[in-house]
Amino acid sequence: MINIILCGGSGTRLWPLSRTMLPKQFVRLFDGESLFQQTVKRNEPICSRFLIVSNTDQYFLAVDQLNQMIKESPAHFLLEPVGRNTAPAIALACLSLDEDDLVLVTTSDHLVKNREAYEAAVRQARSLAEEGNLVTFGIHPTYPETGFGYIEASGNDVLSFKEKPSEEVAQTYINQGNYYWNSGMFCFKAGVFLNELKKHSPEIYQACLSALPDTDCDSEMKIDLDLMRMIPEDSIDYAVMEKSDKVKVVACDMGWSDLGSFDSLYDELKSESAQNAVLARVENSPEPICVDSTNNLLVTRDRQIALVDVEDLLVVDTTDAILVSKKGSSQKVKQVVAQIKKQAPELAEIHRLAYRPWGTYEVLIDSEQYKVKRIVVKPGSKLSLQKHFHRNEHWIVVSGTATVTVDSDVFLVRANESTYIQMGQVHRLENQGKIDLVMIEVQVGEYTGEDDIVRIEDIYGR
């Protein structure tokens, strides 16, 4: 069985923890692991290989986190330049497989705590899928959630799919006893799914067929941007599952959560022995001080947080933004993000500590006419050949050795040495050594935004 992992989504409901360039599936939330890594770990014993569908800008995050777990990973990548929802993503993945291949489709950002129940549900789904069915997974509801779709069932037979209901309607579903949360996980043969897609949504099928590259690739398959944009956007539920007569459901209770809000994160972190739920993002971060304060979620980094006489708050602290919300209102974070995109768009896109294909950079100081960064370049990696129109750059090497290109000159800069890049000069930074290159970059100029980069040779396609 092949695990198709869908890595799309920006996780805006978990801002400022989750951002476009580091969405929630790649944030290390539990025991130093990301939800993506937990998905791989959960499915590795039951799947022969992985087919990961990812945005091109997040590809390197998946590769890095996968390599930290599995040195020789049986994984292939399907890279989408733009998202077109789940139906095209799954279709493109299935088109790259043999029609008899059995696939388990999972998201990359859900939490599953009961591994034994999960594996039992997958075994049952596999049996139904081998009979030619499209199998979905229904989660036993524990409360009247209004943010999920529901599946009405009779045994393994699906009677209907329901849109996100009001709380009153959701409660009637729970009282009736045969309604389940729609988990967004599926199991079927690739050919069965494609035949049903061709039957019920032929426009999506044909557009995906046209977009699929002709050439085979051992590790990654890139979809052309123009062809991707021609694919109609739709979910697998609307395009296939709600129309097909081959749909079955496996009802299960696997300790599942979509972690779609800070309220759900609080539910996963709370314990009977503690008055507040705390997620420390940095090792040895200061313990929060709580005076007569209970039932709060505290997401901390390296600042001291103190609460006095408050309860039912969500407090999320990052290096460049702080979110404070009442519990029960965290779905409104999407409204915050909409305003952030207008007022300070970089805060929605990227953290001060940013992960790039070549390593990381962290903004230490961002002031008018100058910016200071700490840059780490992995061994064997290099940045794109580039130039800037509005800033000069001073590079000081802290450890490792930098291979620096400035116009036609190539030279080494070692620890405790520095160099200077003038505005307009074509330059590149490279680490040809065997240890991390750590350096401090001081940018000085009228404008120091990340978009003041002209890439002469963009080795990463971005």
Side-chain angles (χ1 to χ4, degrees), residues 215-231:
T215 56
D216 294 330
C217 181
D218 290 338
S219 61
E220 62 185 62
M221 179 171 57
K222 296 180 181 179
I223 307 300
D224 178 79
L225 175 60
D226 292 334
L227 293 176
M228 193 77 201
R229 284 176 171 161
M230 293 177 66
I231 301 175

Side-chain angles (χ1 to χ4, degrees), residues 407-436:
D407 291 332
S408 59
D409 296 330
V410 180
F411 52 93
L412 299 179
V413 182
R414 298 175 176 83
N416 204 33
E417 296 178 347
S418 63
T419 190
Y420 172 66
I421 313 296
Q422 283 188 317
M423 188 184 308
Q425 287 186 314
V426 175
H427 60 279
R428 165 176 280 160
L429 179 63
E430 185 175 359
N431 181 6
Q432 296 181 349
K434 299 191 178 192
I435 63 172
D436 284 348

